[in-house]
Amino acid sequence: MKRMGWLTSGLAAMVLTAALAGCGAGAGGNNTAATGNNTTAGAAEPTLIMATSADYKPYEFHDTSGGQDKIVGFDIDVANAIAQKLHFKFTIEDMDFDSLIGALQAHRADFVIAGMTPTPEREKSVDFSEIYYQATNVVLTRKGFTVTSLNDLKGKKVAAQLGSVQEDAAKSIPGVQLESLTTIPNVVQEVVTGRVDAAIIEDTVATGYVKNNPNLQINRIPGIKSNGSAIAFPKGSPWVSKFNAAIDEMKKDGELQKLAEKWFSQ
Ligand code: ARG
């Protein structure tokens, strides 16, 4: 599992290495924000720890185009906007998607933004903000294999991300040969190379892969209901209501819509 520490303060992003390297960052140094009540005006801004799984373009992904490895995306912009409103700074901990809930439970992170869908199962372990974006599961296949219902995947080899709601969806297919992988690029790669027949992923993410690979096709399943994305927190976190107020503001003044257009309409 890769772990990286980043310090983002509005525009600038600086790599913060030793302080976060593997050592229970939540307890370290200035990162005392797990208490969440450190927002007195005039006092130094608290630094929260945000965890994500930066394998999810355009929500969060590694951008190395500037010769520097930066985590960017819709979720990162949303987090930056909220941080500005609530006057905190945050560092980014990049980890596998299936480690995120555990990181919150262990208070190694103050919040998770990772295109994560609230489910009753997850709500037993963490608290969620309101929904800030919607996506829908689709079936990704190679050109020529058309799927119109999950039942078409009966007995087939299907890939999905470990710990995701798409993995749950795949598990519900009778006789499926499920291949669970830690990252989305690996999931897509299995389809590309033909090691699996299909993958279940969200349309918002599948679109980018299909655009870059004419041998792939997106299959929409009629009647399937959409998955919301929400921000997750340790149970009882005082930040939930504050984040909700910030999200509400961003919904009302159009900022959320603007960020969505920036990342999802290209
Ligand atoms: N929305 C799905 C879920 O919550 C997938 C999210 C995957 N996110 C990621 N950063 N890989 O299970």
Side-chain angles (χ1 to χ4, degrees), residues 129-189:
S129 73
E130 56 183 71
I131 304 287
Y132 64 89
Y133 203 64
Q134 293 283 353
T136 305
N137 287 354
V138 295
V139 177
L140 185 72
T141 56
R142 285 181 305 287
K143 267 256 156 68
F145 177 38
T146 298
V147 171
T148 53
S149 119
L150 286 188
N151 265 342
D152 294 348
L153 298 174
K154 251 189 211 158
K156 299 264 187 232
K157 288 187 185 153
V158 176
Q161 184 167 36
L162 190 66
S164 69
V165 298
Q166 290 71 37
E167 184 190 35
D168 290 340
K171 279 179 186 161
S172 74
I173 301 165
V176 74
Q177 301 176 56
L178 176 63
E179 214 187 299
S180 300
L181 298 151
T182 49
T183 73
I184 289 292
N186 289 344
V187 167
V188 174
Q189 197 54 26

Side-chain angles (χ1 to χ4, degrees), residues 53 55-56 60 97 114-117 122 161 163-166 184 202:
S53 172
D55 68 333
Y56 214 50
E60 47 266 333
F97 184 75
M116 189 181 277
T117 306
R122 289 173 179 165
Q161 184 167 36
S164 69
V165 298
Q166 290 71 37
I184 289 292
E202 284 175 334

